[in-house]
Amino acid sequence: MEETGQLKRAFIDATAGAISGGISRTVTSPLDVIKIRFQVQLEPTTQWALLTRTVYGNSKYTGMLQASKDILREEGLPGFWRGNVPALLMVMPYTAIQFAVLHKLKTFASGSSNSEDHVNLSPYLSYVSGALAGCAATVGSYPFDLLRTILASQGEPKVYPNMRAAFVDIFRTRGIRGLYSGLTPTLVEIVPYAGLQFGTYDTFKRWMMTWNHLRSSNTIHGDEHVSSFQLFICGLGAGTCAKAVCHPLDVVKKRFQIEGLQRHPRYGARLEPRAYRNMYDGLRRILIEEGWAGLYKGIVPSIVKAAPAGAVTFVAYEYTSDRLESILT
């Protein structure tokens, strides 16, 4: 009986996670495409940096508005959802694994499978649980993340017409290892990112519950219920904090993923195969050649995307999880 309950709980978490991830990803895809174009561009991404350039030539993208106009003019509206299919294939299993593993870890840490008891976990355990869940989800869905990055960054004319063509070419030329290119910096990035995202979300949620309790007119039994809008605010804050801290690692990861990709010259210099020996070398080279601004290329669309993405994910997960739980019980 207990095993059946655990399987049902895992099903609820995985299903709610997949649905929330799919909704969040589709809604924020245009911002993700712009972010990726900035991150894989070797040239400066701001007008100010262009005035002081010493290494690279003209930049294809120099701001969110300009990038949006260019993508719309050259690729049409579908350009903003380029790579969305592999992105969904990456995000949905990623969030499914992440939330299922996260609930299991929190159950183990708290000694209770009740989600309400998980809110009272110490911040340390919340961060560690989030980090471990993020690692498990990353390993399980990484090839789709690689394909999403390549398809979103290639521009026009397309190097690969679809996901299958990209998969076959990468597998043929680089083998299985090619499908996991950039996994190490991704794991190094996901540990602090997932830890911060889930840890700060739980912290903000606890603060919100305390705030509601203090504001409640009932002094004996304070109302600690957190509304959907408050969950949205908690997710917004968690996504912003995590992305602001971990963005340089995401830039390095994207560079590893598009090494050797043949793109039209108008999209800027090509990143040669094995351009960086490892993650540390990538960080060091970008810092030397592109300055601190290079490590934060795409930070504006990244945060603009991460904040609502985190908010939508958490709200959709909480809502879907509650609905599934009420249906299955």
Side-chain angles (χ1 to χ4, degrees):
M1 195 70 178
E2 184 180 347
E3 187 177 342
T4 303
Q6 290 178 353
L7 287 173
K8 185 175 74 173
R9 184 68 246 183
F11 172 78
I12 290 172
D13 291 326
T15 304
I19 292 172
S20 63
I23 293 171
S24 175
R25 167 63 219 185
T26 302
V27 169
T28 59
S29 178
L31 292 167
D32 196 52
V33 168
I34 295 171
K35 180 201 75 168
I36 290 174
R37 298 288 176 93
F38 280 159
Q39 289 178 323
V40 302
Q41 178 174 290
L42 303 185
E43 295 78 14
T45 56
T46 62
Q47 291 290 353
W48 180 85
L50 285 171
L51 297 175
T52 59
R53 69 178 183 270
T54 56
V55 179
Y56 300 110
N58 294 325
S59 297
K60 171 65 175 173
Y61 303 117
T62 57
M64 278 190 66
L65 185 59
Q66 177 267 330
S68 300
K69 289 179 178 178
D70 272 16
I71 293 171
L72 184 61
R73 184 180 67 253
E74 296 171 1
E75 305 168 44
L77 204 57
F80 290 108
W81 276 268
R82 177 154 290 168
N84 195 50
V85 172
L88 287 173
L89 291 174
M90 180 272 291
V91 167
M92 293 182 75
Y94 177 90
T95 49
I97 296 169
Q98 187 177 44
F99 279 105
V101 172
L102 182 70
H103 189 275
K104 194 69 178 174
L105 289 170
K106 286 185 173 182
T107 298
F108 176 77
S110 65
S112 170
S113 61
N114 192 339
S115 299
E116 293 178 359
D117 295 329
H118 297 171
V119 180
N120 299 317
L121 278 177
S122 69
Y124 170 75
L125 288 174
S126 291
Y127 284 94
V128 171
S129 298
L132 292 175
C135 285
T138 297
V139 173
S141 61
Y142 188 78
F144 293 113
D145 185 27
L146 177 79
L147 293 170
R148 180 275 304 245
T149 298
I150 288 174
L151 292 177
S153 64
Q154 64 181 347
E156 290 286 349
K158 295 179 182 178
V159 180
Y160 301 114
N162 51 49
M163 185 175 65
R164 181 180 177 277
F167 174 83
V168 170
D169 185 65
I170 292 168
F171 185 76
R172 180 174 54 81
T173 57
R174 292 191 271 171
I176 290 289
R177 290 186 64 181
L179 294 172
Y180 284 89
S181 179
L183 178 62
T184 299
T186 302
L187 288 174
V188 172
E189 175 209 2
I190 208 64
V191 168
Y193 181 79
L196 279 170
Q197 187 178 36
F198 284 99
T200 53
Y201 177 75
D202 286 344
T203 300
F204 292 157
K205 191 175 177 180
R206 277 195 298 271
W207 290 351
M208 201 67 77
M209 290 172 68
T210 303
W211 170 255
N212 290 344
H213 181 79
L214 293 173
R215 290 179 65 240
S216 175
S217 58
N218 187 339
T219 57
I220 299 175
H221 300 290
D223 183 13
E224 296 183 351
H225 175 71
V226 182
S227 68
S228 294
F229 177 73
Q230 289 176 324
L231 290 175
F232 184 86
I233 296 300
C234 291
L236 203 71
T240 302
C241 291
K243 183 55 69 175
V245 171
C246 303
H247 188 78
L249 296 172
D250 192 39
V251 171
V252 176
K253 179 188 81 170
K254 292 295 188 293
R255 296 290 178 89
F256 272 108
Q257 290 179 329
I258 59 106
E259 281 183 336
L261 177 66
Q262 297 281 0
R263 298 196 298 168
H264 194 280
R266 71 164 176 264
Y267 291 98
R270 173 176 179 251
L271 192 65
E272 297 300 324
R274 304 187 184 280
Y276 308 125
R277 293 193 301 273
N278 49 48
M279 188 186 66
Y280 173 75
D281 182 57
L283 286 168
R284 185 182 63 83
R285 291 270 302 279
I286 293 171
L287 186 60
I288 292 172
E289 297 173 4
E290 304 171 47
W292 283 101
L295 292 174
Y296 284 91
K297 281 181 175 177
I299 186 64
V300 174
S302 183
I303 287 182
V304 171
K305 175 229 169 186
V312 170
T313 299
F314 283 117
V315 172
Y317 169 77
E318 300 266 7
Y319 177 79
T320 308
S321 178
D322 288 345
R323 291 288 295 173
L324 287 172
E325 202 162 358
S326 64
I327 292 170
L328 296 174
T329 53

